[in-house]
Amino acid sequence: MLCRDRSKRGQTMVELALALPLFIVVLFGVIVFGITIFLHQQVTNAAREGARYAAIHSATAQCPTVPTLDPMSAPLTYVRCDRPDMGWPNMTAAARERLFGLNKTEVRVAACWSGYRQATNWDAWVPGTYDVGGTAVVVSPADSVFTQCDIDAQDPTDDGQVDQIGCTTGLATTDEASAMSESKENHTGNTVTAYACYVWNPPLGGIGIPIPCSTGWCSMEIIQKTLVLRAVVTEAIQRQQ
């Protein structure tokens, strides 16, 4: 009887030794996954706030957030205030302002401007028919084509390319429009696309579990050592004055 009890206790200890590590790994995996979702939502909020700030602080604002291109017909009040060569300090501050649960200074923000183009001219009108001083002006879709900007030589609105965008300061951008908004006399359809990212090193990063493979046993990484969280939001440019 005593031998049987010892055998059962030994069997229980062996089962616990086999199951407990896997349970702990899965438990921490679930926790890290939840934290990842939370942090990604924060990065998305940063992109949304950045895009919103740039959209409402357009070329007609007192201190506009501007791309590399100036408006084809700049307002008299136009100044290059919140500039890309400065890292858009105002837009970046707005994007980071409401973040919590992460290091705000490590959240990178970039933006690019898209719009309709005619040949080499940007800030072209949206295709359509317009009444200009009693004269009908027709803008053909063949003449005025919407052109998407890029960040780090990638289209930030393309899900297949956004993961290829780096997460550093000073990312190169190619703008296809200015921060000019629509008005009664100006029928542009310019947009701004804000990109935010955050490099996170999760706790227990690199942890893995053994799985059978062609060479015997291999380790499957269930928590990556480094995660790059990215988000993109596009807003239409809005007039201020």
Side-chain angles (χ1 to χ4, degrees):
M1 190 71 177
L2 183 59
C3 292
R4 289 183 179 179
D5 290 342
R6 288 179 177 176
S7 177
K8 289 181 179 179
R9 287 198 298 270
Q11 179 180 349
T12 301
M13 292 298 292
V14 171
E15 292 174 350
L16 179 63
L18 293 174
L20 185 60
L22 181 60
F23 172 76
I24 292 176
V25 167
V26 172
L27 176 63
F28 274 97
V30 171
I31 293 173
V32 170
F33 179 76
I35 297 175
T36 303
I37 296 299
F38 168 77
L39 292 178
H40 188 266
Q41 184 60 48
Q42 292 297 302
V43 174
T44 302
N45 289 342
R48 183 181 299 111
E49 292 297 328
R52 183 61 180 165
Y53 185 90
I56 64 176
H57 290 79
S58 57
T60 53
Q62 290 184 347
C63 181
T65 298
V66 299
T68 56
L69 298 177
D70 289 327
M72 293 295 290
S73 299
L76 295 177
T77 57
Y78 180 75
V79 293
R80 293 190 60 78
C81 184
D82 194 28
R83 310 192 306 269
D85 55 294
M86 299 171 58
W88 296 289
N90 295 350
M91 180 184 68
T92 300
R96 294 172 174 172
E97 182 179 3
R98 299 183 183 181
L99 299 179
F100 66 97
L102 75 174
N103 187 347
K104 296 181 180 181
T105 61
E106 295 299 321
V107 176
R108 312 298 183 188
V109 181
C112 68
W113 279 252
S114 305
Y116 287 86
R117 295 182 70 102
Q118 291 181 340
T120 59
N121 295 329
W122 55 93
D123 293 350
W125 284 14
V126 179
T129 302
Y130 304 95
D131 184 352
V132 180
T135 302
V137 176
V138 179
V139 180
S140 168
D143 296 331
S144 186
V145 179
F146 185 84
T147 309
Q148 175 63 46
C149 62
D150 65 50
I151 300 175
D152 200 20
Q154 305 294 329
D155 179 355
T157 64
D158 187 327
D159 291 339
Q161 297 186 41
V162 67
D163 288 341
Q164 305 302 315
I165 302 176
C167 191
T168 59
T169 56
L171 292 173
T173 61
T174 302
D175 295 303
E176 301 294 346
S178 74
M180 197 66 198
S181 59
E182 287 197 358
S183 65
K184 185 177 180 180
E185 301 82 14
N186 188 37
H187 304 280
T188 60
N190 294 350
T191 63
V192 57
T193 299
Y195 165 80
C197 64
Y198 178 68
V199 178
W200 182 47
N201 297 312
L204 299 181
I207 193 171
I209 58 175
I211 59 172
C213 61
S214 58
T215 59
W217 288 90
C218 300
S219 177
M220 180 181 70
E221 188 176 285
I222 65 170
I223 302 179
Q224 296 182 20
K225 294 181 180 179
T226 301
L227 293 175
V228 181
L229 307 177
R230 299 176 173 90
V232 174
V233 174
T234 297
E235 291 276 358
I237 300 298
Q238 298 183 21
R239 190 171 181 82
Q240 298 302 295
Q241 299 174 352

